[in-house]
Amino acid sequence: MNVHEICEHASALATPAEVIEFGAAMRETNGFDLSKQAREAIADVLMIRGSELDCAGATYDALYGSPDDPFDLGSDEETGPVITPGNPRSVAREFVKAVYDKKLLAWGGDFYFYAGNHWRAGQVWKAADTEVMRVLWDWLATCSVLDSAGEPYQFKPNPKHVAAVYAALPAVVGFRGDRNCHIKTGERTALVPVQNGMVDPATGALHPLDPAWFVTHCLAVDWDPDTDVAGSEFLPFIKGAFGEEQLATIQQIMGIILFGDRSFEKAMLLIGPPRSGKGTLLGILEALLGATAVSVGSRDFSNQFGLQHLIDARLASIPDQRMDAHSDYSALAERVLSIVGQDTVPIQRKFLSPWVGRLDVFIAFFSNGLPRLRDAQGVLASRFIYLRTLTSHRGREDIGLKKRLLEPKELQAAAVFALEGYQIALAQGKISTSAEHDKLSDRAHALQAPAAAFLARYTVPDPNGFIPTRELAAVWMAWGQEVGLGEFSIRAIGRALHEERDDRCQMRRTVTTRLKVGKRVVKNSRRRRGYVGMSWKKICDARGNFRRGRIIF
């Protein structure tokens, strides 16, 4: 802990016994090896708290002990390591060696700390106020410099000194490789850190933890490949939520989220009625991934700094997806396609320089129904794996289920279950899908790009073909009710077909036909609104049926 955290902890002590015990610990450890100013500040906070709890005398005795064994606040003449302020790079090297000992990296415009099993980003909220800079101020206050006679004296840092050393740190601890690479050799790895080691997803073997691998995520479980998944409560929950038909799909999706890379280039869209298990599944994934599971809204994809927290994320969930007239569909589709497709994307960061790179994040939408993510080309719909929860438990909820599923043994079972699914997906080279996926995929294509879906289903290119407007509108309206598009006017249908930019979607008011009368060919022109260049895939029994709204194919 730094000085600020220790002071906050001391001021929050609730009982006299805690204050006295903390004071004794300060004396025994000589102020936790902090600088004189820091020890004085902590002692003052502790004495104030002791006075508030009517134990000031006991606190003083605990802090300072007997005259022969006092709490050492340090003297004004004490000096620390000798530095050369005129050489910021050498000072930065000494700082890293003394404080972090090969557990600090600069990557992507941010500092990363080794947290015992993975590398985590620093708590950056302003360029001039980072976790590293706070520690740097405290360390420089303990250093010494030499005077003209070669005698050391206490160094008094100022903002200029601190900024110079801070700016030199990336040159000392900078890393130019990518995530999941060895810091020295650049070799890539698929190992996934857990609490007790690093798991090889291909074999399930456990390897020792090693800070030489730059991996920025960790699963919050102790890995045990012998965990009894069949005897856990997690497996019945998954089977009850998704059924046997979708079990393989959700198992492989979970495996890709927790253990896999993003080479499958897929996202998940999970729909279902309220109280059907969507939130419980998301809670399990968040408990396993910890801080690398983040929640975003649809508007974050169009905000300037909305995606800043996705840089180190493994899962980006969009729960309770709602789209309205103010939603920026084009920005959402563009961002999702670039992230899922593993493109290099620029991300604006507040008070920091833009981050440019590939996001190692899996996007998952959770909604009660299919969201209308408009994409005229229909590409976005093909990027999703669709799942549906089957049963709503509204009115008969098991309110303790989620708490039980977040216990360590259940999380271990979920991790082992997911790894088996990831290995299956790797072996077959794709994610298994179900009939429910195919059905929802067709509906999603219709909702996102209705014109393209309609033309593909009902029409074929025909250079000499012609379909009257009212006839096409009648078929469209019947199809729209089937897929849930809602009401469309003839003008709205025309706009949708025009946006498709298909050669078949050319409106003509005058249609010229050639009639053979005896040996002569007579041109017959008449005014009819319609579309040329296409015809119906199948013929209805009578054209009059279209005008009456009865569509028979």
Side-chain angles (χ1 to χ4, degrees), residues 47 62 128 151 225 285 460 483 490 499 507 517 520-521 532:
M47 286 300 299
E151 295 295 330
L285 294 173
V460 292
V483 299
I490 293 180
E499 290 175 359
M507 172 69 75
V517 180
R520 295 185 305 164
V521 176
V532 299

Side-chain angles (χ1 to χ4, degrees), residues 196 203-206 222-229 412 416 419-420:
N196 58 338
T203 62
L206 187 66
D222 289 323
W223 182 251
D224 182 8
D226 298 326
T227 300
D228 183 15
V229 179
Q412 287 178 354
V416 173
L419 180 61
E420 294 174 355

Side-chain angles (χ1 to χ4, degrees), residues 370-405:
L370 275 177
R372 296 191 177 186
L373 307 174
R374 297 177 186 172
D375 178 26
Q377 286 72 35
V379 179
L380 185 60
S382 64
R383 289 291 194 181
F384 285 103
I385 297 295
Y386 298 90
L387 290 162
R388 184 198 294 274
T389 51
L390 303 178
T391 306
S392 174
H393 300 278
R394 176 182 289 181
R396 48 190 178 89
E397 299 93 342
D398 183 356
I399 58 177
L401 175 62
K402 187 173 183 178
K403 183 178 180 180
R404 296 195 303 271
L405 291 177

Side-chain angles (χ1 to χ4, degrees), residues 228-244:
D228 183 15
V229 179
S232 67
E233 193 172 0
F234 167 78
L235 189 60
F237 159 72
I238 286 293
K239 288 183 177 179
F242 295 95
E244 292 289 345

Side-chain angles (χ1 to χ4, degrees), residues 414-429:
V416 173
F417 173 82
L419 180 61
E420 294 174 355
Y422 177 62
Q423 292 172 344
I424 294 173
L426 277 182
Q428 62 189 19

